Amino acid sequence: MSFLIEELITIDADVVTAKQAIEYAGDLLEKYGYVKKGYAKAVWEREQQYPTGLKGERVGFAIPHTNPKYTIKAGMALIVPRQPVEFGVMATIDQKVNCNIIMPLVIENPEEQIAFLGKIMEILKDQSTLQKIINAGDPKEILKLMQRVNQ
Amino acid sequence: MRPIKILSVCGSGTVSSAMVSKKIVDFLKDNGYNATTDEANPPSLPTIIGSQKFDLIAATTTISDDYGIPVLNATSLLIGMGEEKFFEDLLELVKSLDLEN
């Protein structure tokens, strides 16, 4: 499985806003054949109405996504921004969370991918793993920490 | 005892709601209840609620209208944090349901 490949992991990303993070990821995902043109626009539009920020214990993360219309193959990008990026909090109207990890998702078949999402969440539940991801000096390190999603 | 009918709602009506549905069904099964779930996004809510009777809504998005059905915020199920509170509230709600009819 190649849900997450090294080329789709970026550390110290120079993105400041949620829109920039999504557009940046969209370009990458398109480049590596995961999504069609229009993915980033759709994800951003959806994000404004249905935010995807989630507050972990000490860390914020976001899982922007859209419906499978733009999917070529299932996968995800992982961005650790240089500075935390503000996203709206899921299921709230105007709460915000600063996100240290942004994971744009590319969904093909929601039922099949529950396991995939579950694995991501399992990994992110562990505080020390989260910190290692945020502080990683190389995308390879992050790929190793996240390898369970590819199994 | 009839199955509990749950409607999971998320922004796209696919991803988050599917995850949430599974966790809820598994939990309820462990507690001796059967449950069925449907997934919806906010725009299709009025239609789906009009056509079926649900016992509760589990949402990972804001639901603006009052459909007269209890709504539980299910985002804690997505991140796997604070789940205990969600399940406590869920169980309390379920116990108040009339499952013989």
Side-chain angles (χ1 to χ4, degrees):
Chain A
M1 293 261 90
S2 53
F3 280 132
L4 179 61
I5 58 175
E6 195 184 323
E7 291 81 348
L8 293 173
I9 301 174
T10 310
I11 56 171
D12 194 38
D14 187 14
V15 293
V16 174
T17 65
K19 183 166 191 258
Q20 284 173 355
I22 289 168
E23 283 171 349
Y24 172 81
D27 284 343
L28 265 185
L29 287 163
E30 201 185 317
K31 178 174 174 190
Y32 288 98
Y34 285 80
V35 301
K36 303 177 203 166
K37 210 169 193 56
Y39 167 83
K41 184 161 182 283
V43 171
W44 172 238
E45 273 173 18
R46 186 192 177 282
E47 184 65 33
Q48 289 173 88
Q49 241 195 322
Y50 305 116
T52 62
L54 294 163
K55 285 183 181 171
E57 221 173 289
R58 264 170 279 155
V59 165
F61 44 93
I63 52 168
H65 55 276
T66 182
N67 60 44
K69 182 167 154 197
Y70 300 91
T71 299
I72 295 177
K73 62 178 180 185
M76 61 180 282
L78 195 154
I79 301 170
V80 180
R82 190 168 297 163
Q83 299 289 341
V85 172
E86 191 181 82
F87 274 76
V89 177
M90 197 182 285
T92 70
I93 305 215
D94 45 26
Q95 268 187 55
K96 303 288 181 198
V97 58
N98 285 325
C99 298
N100 312 81
I101 304 178
I102 301 158
M103 289 164 290
L105 304 176
V106 183
I107 311 290
E108 196 162 29
N109 182 325
E111 270 81 33
E112 279 172 17
Q113 286 171 247
I114 300 178
F116 161 48
L117 284 172
K119 284 179 197 171
I120 299 177
M121 293 310 172
E122 275 296 312
I123 297 169
L124 296 179
K125 257 196 335 193
D126 179 49
Q127 292 305 307
S128 76
T129 304
L130 269 181
Q131 288 303 321
K132 284 181 193 156
I133 291 176
I134 294 169
N135 296 316
D138 188 306
K140 281 188 173 59
E141 287 173 43
I142 297 180
L143 184 60
K144 243 175 129 194
L145 290 163
M146 296 286 294
Q147 68 187 5
R148 238 188 300 162
V149 306
N150 285 329
Q151 282 156 4
Chain B
M1 203 169 57
R2 64 162 175 85
I4 301 166
K5 293 199 62 162
I6 301 169
L7 181 61
S8 284
V9 182
C10 80
S12 52
T14 51
V15 184
S16 317
S17 50
M19 263 189 81
V20 159
S21 287
K22 184 172 191 316
K23 282 200 176 185
I24 293 178
V25 168
D26 289 347
F27 171 79
L28 287 173
K29 195 173 255 172
D30 288 344
N31 283 273
Y33 295 98
N34 280 325
T36 62
T37 60
D38 279 280
E39 285 79 45
N41 58 14
S44 56
L45 261 183
T47 313
I48 196 171
I49 287 188
S51 64
Q52 288 183 65
K53 199 168 178 305
F54 292 98
D55 295 303
L56 73 108
I57 296 175
T60 54
T61 184
T62 45
I63 302 202
S64 46
D65 291 306
D66 184 5
Y67 294 97
I69 306 173
V71 177
L72 286 180
N73 182 324
T75 45
S76 55
L77 294 190
L78 275 189
I79 49 176
M81 255 173 272
E83 288 182 306
E84 311 77 31
K85 171 100 190 12
F86 175 86
F87 287 130
E88 256 174 50
D89 293 344
L90 174 65
L91 220 44
E92 222 182 280
L93 214 161
V94 156
K95 287 184 180 154
S96 75
L97 293 174
D98 175 12
L99 297 174
E100 300 309 320
N101 295 302

